[in-house]
Amino acid sequence: MAKYVFVTGGVVSGLGKGITASSLALLLKSRGYKVFMQKFDPYINVDPGTMSPFQHGEVFVTADGSETDLDLGHYERFIDEELNYTSNITTGKIYSSVIEKERRGDYLGATVQIVPHITNEIKNKVYEAGITSGADIVITEIGGTIGDIESQAFIEALRQIGNEKGKEDTFFVHTTLVPFIYGSDELKTKPTQHSVIELRSLGIQPDMIVTRSPIALDNHLKSKIALYCSIPKEHIIDSVDVKNIYQIPINYYNQGADEIILEQFGMEKKKANLKEWKKLIDVTDNLDKEIEIALVGKYVELHDAYLSVAESLRHAGYKYHTKININWVDSEMLEQGADLKKVFKNTKGIIVPGGFGERGIEGMIKAITYARENDIPFLGICLGMQLAVIEFARNVCGIKEANSREFDDVCPEPVIDLMAEQKNIINMGGTLRLGNYDCRIQKGTLAYDDYKCEHIKERHRHRYEFNNEYREILEKKGLVFSGINEASNLVEIAELPGKKHFIGCQFHPEFKSRPTKCHPLFDSFIKASIK
Ligand code: GLN
């Protein structure tokens, strides 16, 4: 039977709850326990798939094709485990399921209510994650801030789980902000005290408080929080601001955070193996080179919209002891006539990541032309690959009207077209081509050099595909389709030989990159850019 750790947040959002949850999970895993992670998002959308990246940041796609919150990306990068549909639960999912059961008559005449029906559904999701994962410990993060109306049913469900299972099987971590007041130059614990009062009024007594602050709390402040919040002083864990998020697990480890959890669970404190992680920190703290990579997209104002791509670039940089400075290029600015030479003056590689809709497309295509003509290493991801193909068709093959049906429904030369299986779909949510699909790689190509094997699986999230009617003419002009999904004959990778590095993939490699193990496509892109 699994044990359950719950991570809540107080005072403000954006405290790094996801990183706290991931760090604790990493530490418990490093002691030889199987961990699984889960996030509750109290919004009414069934999943973030239909939300604008400006609202929500990137949508992280799991191997089983679930569209999930970006915190799951942190989880996977920290614990290096594949998560799945049980890992991201929203209010929308809970209510859909309860209403479906009600319509089926499953409740046998009962009046269906928030307590117990909604809370039971939430509790089942927690237990389901424990059972299906076979984990020793499941860590569940609750999105939002304590006191939000939206999250109340979730908090009530956790209270009930705590009550049912008791202290040996449940552990509550509450993360709060301890602000520094300039002038009097001191840290203030009052917001933490009030947040814990709020949490206790909902029936939950925290077992650990993680305090986010610009500097560490002294003994006196910890004693004060301990006294007001009825918690041992040692259970207050400093989470001081860091430059590099991968440092955080080590900071928690040094304060014994994972041992406190194991102690309460009555689990053996096996020796932690953090060798690989410490090696990573040593590398990230001592990067002795740097290069600029341009990321061209339309959501660049919000860097979280490209979180996994940015992380993947950094991971590949670590391998070469190189700091990656991202030049965030707004594709609309390129459209409006910005001087590309100036924009890319210091750029050593250009990446065009995924995206949806027509806005900014021509600017991305301009950037691709610039990369191809000036032989700047290029990596196109999903939309980026589709645009590289359009660019090649227009400017090398002379198919001037080449486009994607996504941007022009009546386009005469649809080199990118709607996938056949998408044609009769009406609902937008959860209906893209999602998750893992096979890809066969042709030997003797850049892609094969990268992966060093013929059969791979990568994660997808798209509705459009390369139109095979154009394959022959593009191949004749030199484009190589080096990766194919054989079941559907769908192009997965396209590359241009004779260049320093020019490759695009229909899938999203960024979801599989890890800080200690960068993804082969990012590896070769960064390697070429450094050269
Ligand atoms: N908009 C494109 C499609 O749906 C690309 C999607 C993406 O980049 N994730 O096919």
Side-chain angles (χ1 to χ4, degrees):
M1 285 288 271
K3 312 245 182 196
Y4 298 95
V5 176
F6 300 109
V7 179
T8 54
V11 185
V12 291
S13 61
L15 278 175
K17 268 193 320 263
I19 303 288
T20 291
S22 308
S23 299
L24 294 172
L26 169 82
L27 293 178
L28 294 165
K29 183 178 174 181
S30 80
R31 290 185 187 267
Y33 290 108
K34 184 168 167 51
V35 290
F36 191 74
M37 299 189 73
Q38 184 182 46
K39 167 124 196 239
F40 286 157
D41 278 309
Y43 48 69
I44 295 173
N45 304 60
V46 170
D47 60 44
T50 53
M51 275 188 234
S52 157
F54 281 124
Q55 290 260 325
H56 191 268
E58 92 177 357
V59 173
F60 186 83
V61 181
T62 51
D64 69 348
S66 305
E67 296 175 276
T68 74
D69 184 70
L70 54 73
D71 268 321
L72 271 81
H74 291 308
Y75 302 170
E76 285 207 359
R77 287 187 282 274
F78 275 65
I79 64 172
D80 193 17
E81 299 280 342
E82 285 197 342
L83 303 173
N84 58 37
Y85 72 97
T86 64
S87 288
N88 197 191
I89 306 298
T90 64
T91 296
K93 275 204 180 99
I94 297 289
Y95 273 77
S96 307
S97 163
V98 168
I99 291 170
E100 202 182 298
K101 286 180 187 166
E102 185 275 332
R103 292 288 80 185
R104 246 185 355 232
D106 288 5
Y107 295 114
L108 305 175
T111 305
V112 180
Q113 294 178 300
I114 293 181
V115 182
H117 301 96
I118 294 293
T119 46
N120 280 350
E121 192 73 25
I122 296 170
K123 279 154 64 180
N124 287 341
K125 296 293 179 198
V126 174
Y127 296 138
E128 182 188 8
I131 293 163
T132 56
S133 68
D136 301 308
I137 301 169
V138 175
I139 301 197
T140 303
E141 176 194 348
I142 294 82
T145 308
I146 286 300
D148 293 349
I149 293 174
E150 283 86 353
S151 59
Q152 272 179 6
F154 288 96
I155 302 298
E156 167 59 14
L158 303 195
R159 183 195 68 76
Q160 293 177 21
I161 293 177
N163 194 43
E164 275 163 28
K165 299 237 148 216
K167 288 256 171 228
E168 310 74 44
D169 289 318
T170 55
F171 191 98
F172 289 89
V173 179
H174 189 54
T175 56
T176 70
L177 179 74
V178 177
F180 183 83
I181 305 296
Y182 289 94
S184 61
D185 287 354
E186 52 180 353
L187 291 169
K188 287 293 190 187
T189 65
K190 189 77 82 194
T192 297
Q193 293 172 38
H194 281 201
S195 174
V196 172
I197 289 171
E198 177 89 39
L199 185 62
R200 288 162 74 176
S201 76
L202 301 170
I204 293 175
Q205 164 64 39
D207 299 300
M208 176 182 285
I209 297 175
V210 174
T211 52
R212 173 80 187 267
S213 61
I215 51 170
L217 275 64
D218 62 20
N219 220 6
H220 163 72
L221 286 180
K222 284 196 176 172
S223 301
K224 203 162 151 184
I225 295 176
L227 180 69
Y228 279 100
C229 302
S230 311
I231 184 170
K233 201 167 64 187
E234 303 71 45
H235 291 207
I236 300 165
I237 304 295
D238 272 313
S239 193
V240 177
D241 297 349
V242 286
K243 274 208 214 88
N244 169 8
I245 53 170
Y246 300 120
Q247 176 65 42
I248 294 175
I250 305 295
N251 293 355
Y252 291 2
Y253 174 76
N254 292 337
Q255 299 173 71
D258 49 329
E259 290 192 58
I260 294 168
I261 297 173
L262 292 174
E263 175 89 36
Q264 178 162 322
F265 286 163
M267 291 166 93
E268 192 193 336
K269 292 179 201 161
K270 301 185 220 172
K271 202 170 165 323
N273 178 0
L274 289 166
K275 232 167 66 202
E276 214 190 352
W277 204 263
K278 284 185 174 162
K279 221 165 72 194
L280 167 73
I281 304 302
D282 193 44
V283 170
T284 57
D285 283 350
N286 295 295
L287 302 175
D288 49 20
K289 290 173 275 214
E290 49 187 299
I291 57 163
E292 179 186 296
I293 297 294
L295 187 155
V296 184
K298 69 172 175 182
Y299 317 113
V300 291
E301 274 159 67
L302 183 73
H303 296 180
D304 269 1
Y306 303 105
L307 183 61
S308 292
V309 173
E311 283 302 308
S312 303
L313 290 170
R314 291 184 195 114
H315 299 164
Y318 299 156
K319 179 165 173 190
Y320 299 100
H321 292 252
T322 301
K323 179 166 178 261
I324 307 295
N325 299 318
I326 299 179
N327 174 10
W328 301 91
V329 179
D330 176 2
S331 54
E332 280 185 286
M333 184 187 82
L334 300 183
E335 238 165 58
Q336 289 151 11
D339 180 354
L340 278 85
K341 263 206 186 101
K342 264 197 202 145
V343 173
F344 297 125
K345 194 170 129 231
N346 298 313
T347 289
K348 299 287 184 252
I350 295 178
I351 185 164
V352 178
F356 292 83
E358 196 192 342
R359 198 163 53 77
I361 290 299
E362 293 304 323
M364 296 175 212
I365 292 181
K366 272 190 180 174
I368 297 170
T369 309
Y370 189 84
R372 189 178 51 75
E373 291 182 347
N374 295 287
D375 203 4
I376 297 171
F378 170 78
L379 175 61
I381 295 178
C382 204
L383 176 70
M385 182 211 88
Q386 297 176 353
L387 297 181
V389 169
I390 293 172
E391 196 279 331
F392 189 81
R394 285 186 192 171
N395 300 331
V396 179
C397 307
I399 310 172
K400 291 281 167 248
E401 293 185 286
N403 212 341
S404 165
R405 276 216 207 276
E406 181 177 5
F407 321 128
D408 179 4
D409 207 18
V410 291
C411 154
E413 306 277 9
V415 292
I416 305 295
D417 204 349
L418 191 63
M419 281 184 273
E421 75 231 39
Q422 289 282 335
K423 292 203 169 129
N424 297 318
I425 287 176
I426 297 164
N427 277 351
M428 294 299 282
T431 55
L432 291 104
R433 180 173 182 252
L434 289 166
N436 266 1
Y437 282 92
D438 294 320
C439 167
R440 186 193 181 117
I441 297 182
Q442 191 186 317
K443 285 193 175 158
T445 60
L446 177 56
Y448 192 85
D449 267 0
D450 292 348
Y451 283 96
K452 296 183 177 51
C453 65
E454 246 179 294
H455 296 278
I456 58 159
K457 266 191 206 315
E458 291 280 1
R459 301 184 196 177
H460 297 71
R461 183 172 186 251
H462 64 120
R463 240 182 254 290
Y464 294 82
E465 64 174 330
F466 173 68
N467 181 348
N468 279 319
E469 279 176 31
Y470 291 88
R471 195 144 153 194
E472 214 181 296
I473 164 160
L474 268 62
E475 269 174 344
K476 254 194 207 136
K477 291 285 184 183
L479 199 64
V480 171
F481 296 100
S482 50
I484 302 288
N485 173 273
E486 290 181 310
S488 62
N489 201 20
L490 193 131
V491 166
E492 294 279 358
I493 309 177
E495 59 183 77
L496 204 48
K499 296 271 167 206
K500 281 189 199 132
H501 189 94
F502 195 101
I503 192 164
C505 51
Q506 186 57 77
F507 48 81
H508 291 269
E510 70 270 25
F511 299 138
K512 285 175 77 174
S513 175
R514 303 287 182 254
T516 50
K517 199 168 49 200
C518 67
H519 188 284
L521 289 181
F522 282 91
D523 183 342
S524 65
F525 170 61
I526 291 299
K527 192 172 163 195
S529 303
I530 291 171
K531 255 193 201 161

